[in-house]
Amino acid sequence: MEGSEKTCLTGDSVVIGAGPLFGRDSEVRTSRWYALYVRSRHEKVVEGGLRGKGYSAFSPFYRTKRKRVDRIVEIDVPLFPGYVFCCFDSNTRLPILMTPGIVGVVGPGNRPEPVDDAEIASIRTLALSGHPVQPWPFLRSGQRIRLQSGPLMGAEGIFLRVKDEDHLVVSITLLQRAVSVVIEKDAVSPLFLGDRRRDVPELERLTG
């Protein structure tokens, strides 16, 4: 993905669950989205620190129920524990690395590797939709789809049917992690790879 630098546009902060997803950034920068290793339970701290420096930071949370000794409580848990996404120029990453709580940038060796553009866009779409989202086992292969209507329009991922519910599973290949959200199958469309259709008969069987 080298040599394909793109401009990250940011806006006002958006609140989901217990915390904001994006920071305010009045500048337009030629940057990419990267995944950052962070210390355990420091996702919110790191996100806040990065936004305070003017970067766009993204650390989505989901709400789940946990059993305590005397009751069941709902808590906010990171969708990607130990990681925060940030949009920046990898050539000027020192201010990023100096942010308290950050361990490093994900990538082979000492070279940061950007997150796939389609994957991060789909994760952001899911997180901002207001639909319940949950972690999901990472899937390397399967039927790929795109949602053509509704609040999740444009999101791409793997179609899966679980307990009579249709799910869109979106993966972050770089992190070997995935999340899922329940969808309406009427919004599903097979995803094309160039001029070649991927596993259309299988999708027709699943959605029929």
Side-chain angles (χ1 to χ4, degrees):
M1 299 182 68
E2 294 181 355
S4 59
E5 293 289 299
K6 295 185 178 180
T7 299
C8 285
L9 299 176
T10 61
D12 293 340
S13 60
V14 179
V15 176
I16 289 185
L21 287 177
F22 305 105
R24 181 185 298 272
D25 187 352
S26 59
E27 298 180 8
V28 176
R29 301 176 179 176
T30 302
S31 304
R32 295 291 301 277
W33 284 94
Y34 294 87
L36 305 171
Y37 292 118
V38 303
R39 295 173 57 189
S40 177
R41 299 182 181 180
H42 278 64
E43 294 86 0
K44 291 182 182 179
V45 173
V46 169
E47 181 186 352
L50 291 170
R51 290 189 293 108
K53 292 182 178 181
Y55 293 100
S56 296
F58 177 48
S59 178
F61 281 67
Y62 72 102
R63 180 149 291 190
T64 186
K65 293 181 179 179
R66 294 288 173 87
K67 187 176 181 179
R68 298 290 187 253
V69 176
D70 57 344
R71 66 190 188 281
I72 302 295
V73 298
E74 287 192 348
I75 61 174
D76 292 311
V77 180
L79 273 174
F80 300 95
Y83 298 97
V84 172
F85 299 105
C86 185
C87 186
F88 60 92
D89 183 347
S90 63
N91 293 319
T92 55
R93 58 184 181 273
L94 184 59
I96 299 289
L97 297 175
M98 293 180 65
T99 304
I102 290 181
V103 177
V105 184
V106 177
N110 294 320
R111 182 174 62 85
E113 182 175 341
V115 179
D116 181 83
D117 293 325
E119 292 179 350
I120 193 67
S122 293
I123 290 293
R124 293 172 67 183
T125 298
L126 264 62
L128 292 170
S129 70
H131 287 236
V133 181
Q134 61 182 319
W136 200 261
F138 179 76
L139 302 174
R140 284 189 174 276
S141 63
Q143 171 59 52
R144 293 194 60 80
I145 60 172
R146 177 184 293 116
L147 298 186
Q148 302 287 16
S149 61
L152 300 179
M153 184 173 64
E156 300 177 2
I158 296 173
F159 178 87
L160 196 63
R161 187 166 179 81
V162 180
K163 295 181 179 179
D164 297 325
E165 289 185 326
D166 297 318
H167 288 250
L168 173 70
V169 180
V170 178
S171 302
I172 295 293
T173 304
L174 182 64
L175 303 184
Q176 301 286 282
R177 302 291 181 89
V179 300
S180 79
V181 62
V182 176
I183 60 173
E184 296 291 336
K185 70 177 183 180
D186 292 341
V188 171
S189 176
L191 184 64
F192 289 84
L193 181 60
D195 295 328
R196 184 180 178 182
R197 211 170 190 176
R198 281 182 149 188
D199 303 328
V200 173
E202 178 66 9
L203 178 64
E204 292 174 347
R205 182 182 71 80
L206 292 172
T207 60

